[in-house]
Each structure stands twice: as structure tokens, then as C-alpha cells.
Amino acid sequence: MIRRDMQLDDGSQAWALISQVEHARVAAELATDWGSAAVESYPRADVVLPTVLHHDDGWAEWEAQPTIDPATGKPRAFTEMPNDVAHAIWRRSIERVGPWGPLAQFMVARHFMRLRLAGDEPEEESVRAFLSEFGPRCDRWREEFIAAARLAHDTDVPELAVGFFQIFDLFSLYLCCTPSRREYQFPLPNGGALTLTIAAGEVTVHPWPWEVSEKSICAVAAQIPATPLASDAELRDRISAAGIELGWQLKPLQSEN
């Protein structure tokens, strides 16, 4: 779950709660129509696009019964999950992209492994166990994909697919987590960099990476007062009665029009 701080028109503080499954859907919207003259497209769209869409499906069970952090009374954000709970969710996510083959499972597992390796707990026991389990499995999925696709002269496709997948995941997080004006820049997997400026619902992107002239994207969220909650049950009651829609209009720089 994404917990986004918001200030309402009356000056009061609120949280917008966006499910990980919804965040993944936004990421897939960003991946759709990608590949303008200014930005290369990604390989194997038949696998990458559904993988992006479904990469957080393992969250569905937890998000049907979300919990608070009892120390703060806040809804637990995805960055605040106990490691053992997060790993169980990630394992389900890796399993649920299985229908799209070994490349899909390689992409999702490698993504989660990179998150762990970039974190501040690489030596924690459950983290070491997760990395030890999925390192060899990623190697096997990569070999299976390359053998099936007969990619003897283009074996960088799996890692390139992961790089693009993580761009779409990060882009979606920037949208979902940023309530005020902010500029971001990040490198693209096959060269160049993308800059986006978020100003509430207006987003400028340079260079323009899609084959369409502009994009409109929305996400469903729950908006609740930013006050400590007494129990998981109170959180679930508030979420069930607090639906809103967040929207973004993505446009190129004026110089690109």
C-alpha cells in the first residue's frame, strides 16, 4: 500500500491510500504505447506488459485485510512491512506471473532482489534467505528463456526487460507518491535519460517517450484523515467508505510540440 500525504482544501491533513495492485496498473498504463522516435521501445512487449501489470498481484490478500503500525497508528506503507511478510507477498507475486513464462518470473524476482540489495538490511537473516533462494532460480529462468527464444546472439534481453520494468514501476511510484511540485530524472536502460516534472495532476515528460501525443492516467485511492488509527478494523472501515480518484495529465515540453 502506498500512503501519500495530502493537504485538503480546508487545510486539514489526509492520507491517500493506493493499493500496490493499482500502482502496478498505473505502471502498465505508462508502459503502453511506449517507444517514440526519441526513446527506444522495450523488448518482448508480449511478456513485459502483462508482467508489469501483474507484478504486485501477491499483495491482493494483504490489501484485502490491511494493517496499521501499532507504534504509530498509521496504515502500513509498502516500505514499512516486516521482512517476513514482504517476502511472502513477493513470493506470491513471482508465482502469479508464471503464466507468462520464465522471463516474467525472472523480471519480478530480479526486481525484488535488486530492492533488497539496495536496502540497508542485506545481512538480515530473512533477506539473505530470500536472495539465496531466488539467485539460482533467476539464473535458471534466464537460461530457460534464452534457450526457448534462441537468443544466442542477444542474451541481454532479460536484464534489459528488467531495466524497463523498473522504469515503469518507479515512474508509477513517482506519480502515486508525489502530491506537490517535484522534478525527477532517471536513466533509461538502453541509453539517455528521462525527466519528469510533477505539479499535482500536470506532468511534463522530456523527451516524450510514447507514440501518442499525450496521456491521461488515473488511479483509485482511499482518502482518510491523517490521524492515528486505533486498530486494523478501524482502518478497514475507513478505507471501505473513502474512495477517490487521482488523475494525471502527461504532456511533452512545449518545445517538443
Side-chain angles (χ1 to χ4, degrees), residues 69-224:
D69 180 344
T72 64
K74 295 181 178 181
R76 283 193 187 274
F78 71 101
T79 56
E80 300 167 350
M81 305 296 291
N83 286 341
D84 58 339
V85 177
H87 292 155
I89 290 169
W90 290 356
R91 285 186 175 90
R92 288 198 298 270
S93 293
I94 295 165
E95 177 184 345
R96 287 176 187 175
V97 297
W100 291 278
L103 177 60
Q105 291 185 289
F106 172 86
M107 288 169 59
V108 178
R110 183 72 88 200
H111 167 63
F112 291 139
M113 288 180 66
R114 287 182 179 181
L115 294 181
R116 277 296 179 241
L117 289 168
D120 57 4
E121 297 179 305
E123 297 305 316
E124 198 270 331
E125 183 177 355
S126 67
V127 173
R128 289 202 313 271
F130 182 85
L131 295 173
S132 296
E133 174 184 353
F134 282 100
R137 295 183 73 181
C138 277
D139 292 341
R140 185 168 66 252
W141 285 322
R142 181 179 183 277
E143 291 168 4
E144 289 175 2
F145 168 74
I146 289 173
R150 300 179 181 178
L151 293 174
H153 302 294
D154 197 11
T155 57
D156 61 342
V157 165
E159 292 293 348
L160 187 59
V162 174
F164 274 104
F165 163 45
Q166 292 198 293
I167 288 294
F168 303 133
D169 180 74
L170 188 60
F171 200 147
S172 174
L173 288 176
Y174 286 158
L175 294 181
C176 292
C177 295
T178 306
S180 57
R181 185 176 179 87
R182 183 84 180 267
E183 182 175 290
Y184 299 95
Q185 186 175 76
F186 44 87
L188 294 169
N190 51 358
L194 201 69
T195 300
L196 55 147
T197 303
I198 302 173
E202 296 185 3
V203 183
T204 301
V205 185
H206 177 74
W208 186 249
W210 296 285
E211 295 176 332
V212 295
S213 59
E214 59 181 50
K215 287 183 78 76
S216 296
I217 297 177
C218 64
V220 175
Q223 181 178 289
I224 66 173

Side-chain angles (χ1 to χ4, degrees), residues 223-239:
Q223 181 178 289
I224 66 173
T227 55
L229 297 153
S231 66
D232 298 340
E234 183 183 1
L235 169 62
R236 295 164 191 170
D237 287 343
R238 291 196 179 187
I239 287 176

Side-chain angles (χ1 to χ4, degrees), residues 32-92:
T32 302
D33 299 316
W34 185 277
S36 69
V39 176
E40 289 186 38
S41 190
Y42 48 87
R44 292 301 304 267
D46 61 316
V47 177
V48 172
L49 191 55
T51 301
V52 172
L53 176 61
H54 293 285
H55 79 272
D56 272 338
D57 280 6
W59 281 88
E61 289 86 350
W62 185 89
E63 291 185 328
Q65 298 288 320
T67 62
I68 64 168
D69 180 344
T72 64
K74 295 181 178 181
R76 283 193 187 274
F78 71 101
T79 56
E80 300 167 350
M81 305 296 291
N83 286 341
D84 58 339
V85 177
H87 292 155
I89 290 169
W90 290 356
R91 285 186 175 90
R92 288 198 298 270

